[in-house]
Structure formats: C-alpha cells, structure tokens
Amino acid sequence: MKLTEHISNAKSTLFSFEVLPPLKGENIQNLFDSIDPLMEFKPPFIDVTYHRQEYMYKQRGNGLLEKIATRKRPGTVGICAAIKNRYNVDAVPHIICGGFTREETENALIDLHFLGIDNVLVLRGDSIKSEPNFIPEKGGHNYATELLEQVRCMNTGIYLDEDLLNTYPTNFCIGVAAYPEKHFEAPNLKTDIKYLKKKVEMGAEYIVTQMFFDNQKYYDFVKTCRQEGINVPIIPGLKPITTKKQITVLPSIFHIDIPEDLADAIEQCKNNDEAKKVGVDWGIQQSKDLIEFGVPCLHYYSMGKSESVYNIAKALF
Ligand code: FAD
C-alpha cells in the first residue's frame, strides 16, 4: 500500500522505523532479530537504507596498495523482499543517485516494481569518503530532483528507451528527504526549502526529515514549509542517543545540533548504559510532544540496534 494511504487511513500517530542492510558476510537473521521485537508496535512500513560502493586500499604482497571497490552493505532490494515476505508490511527502499547510471536505476526500479514494492524514498546520497563533493556516476543523476523525474516518468510508462512499445507504468509513491536544520551544502534554509518545494512540485508525496533533537526546529521548519506552499506530510525522523560519544559524532556526521540540556545530561553519564537511558527518556519526551503536535507518523532511526527504539515505542504505542 502507498505510504500516503497508510497516513490517510490512520486513526492515530503511526510508528515506523529505518533499518540498515547487514554488513557484507553477515547473516540476515541479525536483522530479523532487531526487527522482530518492534513488530509489536505494528509499523505499517519499514525503510531500508541504501549504501553505495566505497573504495578501500589493500596492501598486496609486493608492498603496493591496490584500490578496491566494495559495497559494505549490499542487499537493499533483497531485504525489502524479505521484510515484505516475513512481516507482511510495506518495505520502503531508499534509492540514491550516487553510483548509479540512469540505466541501472531503471533496472532497479523494475525489480522493485516486480516485487510489489509501492514506495521509494528518493535521495541524492552522500559523496564517497575519498571525494570532497558529490560526484554523480557518468550517465547518472546530480540531484534527487533528477532521480525523482526518472521515477515519475516510469510512473507514466516512460522508460529510457523511447522505442519501447506498450510499456507498463509503475506506480511508486515517492518520498524525499528534508533537513529541519538545513542540508549542510545549502547556502541557507530558504534555498534548501526552495529545492524541497521543487521535489514536491515534481511529484514527491511525502517528506521524511533528518534526525533532530529539538522539536522547535521541526515545528519552525514545518511552519516555513507550509508558508512556502509545501503541503505534503512531513514525517519527523528521530534517533535515540545510545552512546556517550554520539553527542559529538552525530553533529559531525549529520550536521545537527544537540540541545544543551541533552548534551549536559549525557556528559554527566558514567557509561553508555546511563547514556542509553537518557537517550530513551529524551526520545519519549520528544515523541510525546510531537504526537501532541499532530505528526502523522514517528519514524525512528534504529541504525541496527532496536533496544532503545523498542523502549521508546513501549512507552507510547
Ligand atoms: P538533494 O535533494 O539533491 O539536495 C542536495 C543538496 O543540493 C541540498 O543542499 C539542496 O539544497 C541542493 N539542491 C537540491 N536540488 C538542487 C538543484 N536542482 N540545483 C541546485 N541545488 C540543489 N544517504 C544514502 O546514501 N543512503 C540512504 O539510504 C539515505 N537515507 C536517508 C534518509 C533520510 C530520511 C535522510 C534525511 C537522508 C538520507 N541519506 C541517505 C542522506 C542523503 O543522501 C544526504 O543527506 C545527501 O547529501 C542529500 O540527499 P537529498 O536527497 O536530500 O539531496
């Protein structure tokens, strides 16, 4: 079912979460073990992230370094199929521009369509670690808007080869990402929201936000989006803090602020178990406040560890 239908059919705030594909070589059972407990809260959909190829250097016998391309977390499409099959809920694959030609994207979308996947979260993807800026694949997309246009075309039966006859249209519900604290490359929030509006005008039917820890930032962001004429659901993304280190690691990776109260509380924790407890308490308060505000869904970033998300959901759903 389309994510927008889940939202319009819902009688109360929905619960959903995002999982990462297991590291290459790991058993999928580890992923199921992290999802199983969360099924108690009846998520209508589960997001599966996509991780592009990276480069690493391996020392060879002759002392020389060999550059090797590897995908540490392959399997997004297969995991979506496995989730649908095992839990009978909608799986939402993330699809990205980075590392894909248009042709490869088309083939991936065909696979997803054949598997009965109804939703896709369309993203640009980050640059690979060895590159300072995002560089698209030759024949690939520069921005999420361009990838979105490709999905939209397939939804109207337009494939890359215009000579194809009697093409069957796909019917993906398209989601996109947004950043209440601004995407780190955007010159300012207004410009970032201008491009977000473009994504919605081009066919995005819902938005999922980057994690944030201060709800006021989300409320201000939603207000500005509505003033700018963005009227699709804006689903808040939440990440419970689980280690002491995260109060510096998360801002550096995701370009978000940790409020002073939360940072102080985590700093005073003697160990990660205490930090985890603070993270859960903060997550419960944040979630309660967002439910009161009337958000359509609370979307949690589990990052492969579901215990804190479980403890938050247990207090709310
Ligand atoms: P875009 O919308 O393309 O925006 C990128 C930047 O370019 C922004 O600064 C924007 O203001 C600007 N911009 C947009 N359009 C234009 C235009 N036409 N002309 C000029 N400037 C423009 N990454 C992964 O690799 N895999 C994942 O699974 C994944 N999941 C994510 C899920 C969520 C909910 C979020 C919030 C992020 C996720 N990311 C993921 C990270 C994301 O790929 C990065 O944040 C990336 O840097 C930006 O992606 P985007 O889709 O927002 O890009």
Side-chain angles (χ1 to χ4, degrees):
M1 197 195 282
K2 291 190 173 198
L3 209 142
T4 45
E5 290 174 68
H6 284 300
I7 289 177
S8 53
N9 293 344
K11 301 207 167 32
S12 56
T13 313
L14 298 172
F15 163 79
S16 70
F17 58 96
E18 175 189 289
V19 296
L20 274 63
L23 285 166
K24 189 180 275 184
E26 266 182 27
N27 191 336
I28 195 169
Q29 188 57 43
N30 298 346
L31 177 66
F32 292 151
D33 290 346
S34 74
I35 296 177
D36 285 350
L38 299 178
M39 296 315 289
E40 179 183 332
F41 311 110
K42 304 198 169 16
F45 63 93
I46 299 172
D47 273 47
V48 184
T49 55
Y50 190 92
H51 300 262
R52 66 179 292 184
Q53 176 171 284
E54 290 171 45
Y55 294 100
M56 52 192 243
Y57 290 88
K58 279 218 163 157
Q59 186 139 25
R60 292 301 176 205
N62 55 10
L64 295 176
L65 293 175
E66 189 186 351
K67 189 178 179 185
I68 295 177
T70 179
R71 276 185 62 207
K72 286 191 183 156
R73 294 182 183 274
T76 300
V77 174
I79 288 165
C80 285
I83 286 176
K84 245 175 104 67
N85 184 39
R86 182 177 167 103
Y87 301 107
N88 196 23
V89 299
D90 282 302
V92 183
H94 293 188
I95 57 167
I96 63 171
C97 307
F100 277 89
T101 64
R102 285 171 168 75
E103 173 83 18
E104 286 162 347
T105 294
E106 184 172 90
N107 293 337
L109 288 167
I110 290 170
D111 281 346
L112 293 170
H113 178 59
F114 287 167
L115 284 168
I117 301 290
D118 295 324
N119 306 279
V120 284
L121 191 73
V122 168
L123 302 143
R124 188 194 68 181
D126 280 322
S127 55
I128 47 178
K129 286 190 188 100
S130 50
E131 290 170 352
N133 308 310
F134 176 80
I135 302 173
E137 202 66 15
K138 200 161 178 272
H141 299 296
N142 286 286
Y143 293 107
T145 41
E146 296 172 11
L147 176 54
L148 197 155
E149 177 61 9
Q150 184 172 7
V151 182
R152 200 194 60 76
C153 280
M154 284 184 70
N155 276 351
T156 53
I158 302 169
Y159 288 63
L160 294 174
D161 178 356
E162 62 262 16
D163 294 334
L164 286 181
L165 295 174
N166 303 320
T167 51
Y168 192 81
T170 56
N171 191 18
F172 293 112
C173 174
I174 304 170
V176 290
Y179 307 83
E181 297 177 58
K182 181 181 98 57
H183 183 259
F184 71 103
E185 291 168 24
N188 55 67
L189 188 60
K190 272 277 171 114
T191 308
D192 206 19
I193 290 177
K194 177 181 84 180
Y195 290 121
L196 177 61
K197 186 174 180 193
K198 192 168 170 199
K199 293 195 270 194
V200 172
E201 286 170 346
M202 290 175 67
E205 293 177 74
Y206 71 95
I207 292 165
V208 185
T209 76
Q210 181 59 280
M211 66 181 75
F212 56 88
F213 292 91
D214 175 356
N215 285 355
Q216 195 54 49
K217 298 206 169 159
Y218 169 83
Y219 301 144
D220 293 345
F221 178 72
V222 171
K223 191 172 169 203
T224 313
C225 286
R226 301 305 182 219
Q227 282 165 351
E228 295 297 322
I230 298 172
N231 291 313
V232 299
I234 303 178
I235 299 173
L238 299 174
K239 149 107 186 83
I241 296 235
T242 52
T243 65
K244 285 193 71 163
K245 234 168 67 181
Q246 284 176 350
I247 55 164
T248 50
V249 170
L250 295 178
S252 81
I253 299 180
F254 297 103
H255 310 274
I256 44 115
D257 280 354
I258 308 279
E260 207 181 329
D261 288 358
L262 178 57
D264 286 349
I266 297 281
E267 261 170 19
Q268 280 164 25
C269 292
K270 287 191 212 72
N271 51 44
N272 284 341
D273 283 342
E274 284 186 22
K276 210 181 267 181
K277 167 98 183 45
V278 171
V280 167
D281 290 345
W282 189 274
I284 292 172
Q285 282 319 311
Q286 238 195 313
S287 304
K288 279 187 176 162
D289 199 55
L290 287 160
I291 291 174
E292 210 162 290
F293 180 77
V295 297
C297 177
L298 289 166
H299 186 68
Y300 295 93
Y301 299 115
S302 75
M303 293 188 172
K305 299 201 173 66
S306 58
E307 186 195 340
S308 293
V309 175
Y310 179 87
N311 289 331
I312 293 172
K314 190 82 185 152
L316 301 163
F317 294 96

